[in-house]
Amino acid sequence: MVGKRHKNRHHRNSPIFQHLGEEPVFRQYALDMQNCAVSWRGYQVGGSGVGVTKDGRYIPLSGFNTKAAPGPRRPGDLCAEMRMIKEAEDKHCVAILEMWMAQPPQPDDFTKLDFGVAVSCGHCRLNYKKKLRNPASPLRRDTRLNFIDSTNPSNTRPFTVEQLLRVCSK
């Protein structure tokens, strides 16, 4: 577990999706965002999400991965998750309620655990930990992460950020 457990006062159960559409819309948008991804190895990740501002407005978020060349990360190389968190910060969200990530399944890059879907990479998880230490970050321990197998979209695995960090810790 990372830090002290607290309740996300901005989290609302599924009815929030009545503002922006139903959950299937966000799932499909994550699958569609894969078309924007740039990956030197052809591993395309798309994402969508929803954040909330201080005045209670719901903000749609989107993201895709960009890594144009092998080797160490370069300026501009971003995972879909990091792109959505940055967009939430830029749009002054106080919390990210949910994120959906669509990508081909593969075992975790650090722990080699196989969840049947690909989960956030080790780089993203390090960034999650950093963001959770910053009280101004919209990422919360109970932000829901929904991982979609893009080869079989009915195969989905949800985690909260806290659950993912706990399961994938080394």
Side-chain angles (χ1 to χ4, degrees), residues 45-70:
V45 182
S48 67
V50 62
V52 65
T53 61
K54 191 158 98 174
D55 60 356
R57 289 180 300 122
Y58 298 111
I59 306 294
L61 307 170
S62 61
F64 51 89
N65 66 320
T66 50
K67 191 156 189 319

Side-chain angles (χ1 to χ4, degrees), residues 85-132:
I85 293 169
K86 176 153 180 29
E87 183 179 5
E89 291 168 344
D90 292 346
K91 292 182 175 181
H92 307 289
C93 291
V94 293
I96 299 171
L97 303 177
E98 293 204 41
M99 294 193 296
W100 290 262
M101 281 69 63
Q103 55 200 324
Q106 68 177 15
D108 180 56
D109 56 345
F110 281 75
T111 65
K112 306 300 181 213
L113 293 171
D114 191 343
F115 298 102
V117 296
V119 297
S120 297
C121 69
H123 179 75
C124 284
R125 294 194 305 264
L126 288 173
N127 277 299
Y128 290 167
K129 290 176 183 179
K130 179 180 170 188
K131 296 289 183 185
L132 290 176

Side-chain angles (χ1 to χ4, degrees), residues 1-6 8 129 131-133 138-144 159-165:
M1 183 161 74
V2 177
K4 186 173 105 179
R5 181 176 279 187
H6 69 280
N8 182 345
K129 290 176 183 179
K131 296 289 183 185
L132 290 176
R133 286 191 293 270
L139 188 70
R140 302 285 180 244
R141 285 170 171 64
D142 59 348
T143 295
R144 190 170 197 73
F159 291 94
T160 63
V161 170
E162 184 176 50
Q163 289 169 335
L164 183 67
L165 292 176

